[in-house]
Amino acid sequence: MIVSVAGEGDVSDTLRSTWSPGFALVEEVQQDIIEPIIIPQFHQHTPNFLFMDDNAPPYRARIVTARLQEVGVPHMVWPAMSPDLNPIEQVRNQLKQRLDDRTPSPRDLAELRVAHVEEWNALPQNSIMRLVRSMRRRCQAVIAANGGNARY
């Protein structure tokens, strides 16, 4: 699960270090991401802050959305299955490519988890920021395509 924070300045390295591959429970998202990372980042970068997530169920849970609304965190909403509006998908593709290029390949789940974290931490920050900054152009392209697939 990947969470992006767009604010003035660089995306926090804290987000990189807390990401881990696999599935997250609502309680883990609330305790490990929303409270210690997203809310403090929101306070630090207000008013230039927008919370973007990957539409995973834990981020849509009532307790999480209620907490974000209570604090006033602006949350980017987009339809499911909309890769044109979701730079996270491109980050995942970059991560997958990096994992596919590893030699030797991870031999078991433990090695795969280590490889995921290593490759995530090695993703170039400027590449991630370029994707975040492309959101205006992406939104304009989708609007011009009347909500359909867009070339951008």
Side-chain angles (χ1 to χ4, degrees), residues 47-63:
N48 300 313
F49 181 93
L50 182 61
F51 175 59
M52 302 183 325
D53 66 68
D54 60 1
N55 267 342
Y59 292 105
R60 300 293 173 223
R62 277 180 272 167
I63 188 170

Side-chain angles (χ1 to χ4, degrees), residues 4-36:
S4 299
V5 176
E8 213 169 276
D10 291 335
V11 173
S12 171
D13 285 336
T14 308
L15 293 174
R16 286 177 169 235
S17 63
T18 58
W19 179 83
S20 62
F23 297 98
L25 300 174
V26 172
E27 294 81 12
E28 291 172 331
V29 167
Q30 184 80 9
Q31 177 182 348
D32 298 339
I33 297 173
I34 301 298
E35 293 296 335

Side-chain angles (χ1 to χ4, degrees), residues 131-142:
L131 288 169
V132 171
R133 289 184 184 120
S134 73
M135 288 307 300
R136 178 183 304 271
R137 184 171 36 94
R138 290 167 181 268
C139 289
Q140 290 169 340
V142 170

Side-chain angles (χ1 to χ4, degrees), residues 71-120:
V71 175
V73 174
H75 191 176
M76 178 178 262
V77 179
W78 54 61
M81 303 303 292
S82 57
D84 291 327
L85 297 178
N86 193 345
I88 293 167
E89 296 302 322
Q90 291 191 4
V91 173
R92 282 187 179 152
N93 291 340
Q94 291 175 17
L95 182 60
K96 182 182 182 312
Q97 185 61 54
R98 293 177 73 95
L99 288 166
D100 289 345
D101 292 345
R102 282 180 78 103
T103 305
S105 296
R107 294 174 295 188
D108 57 27
L109 186 57
E111 285 186 10
L112 180 60
R113 287 178 192 222
V114 169
H116 264 102
V117 172
E118 288 174 357
E119 295 300 340
W120 171 256

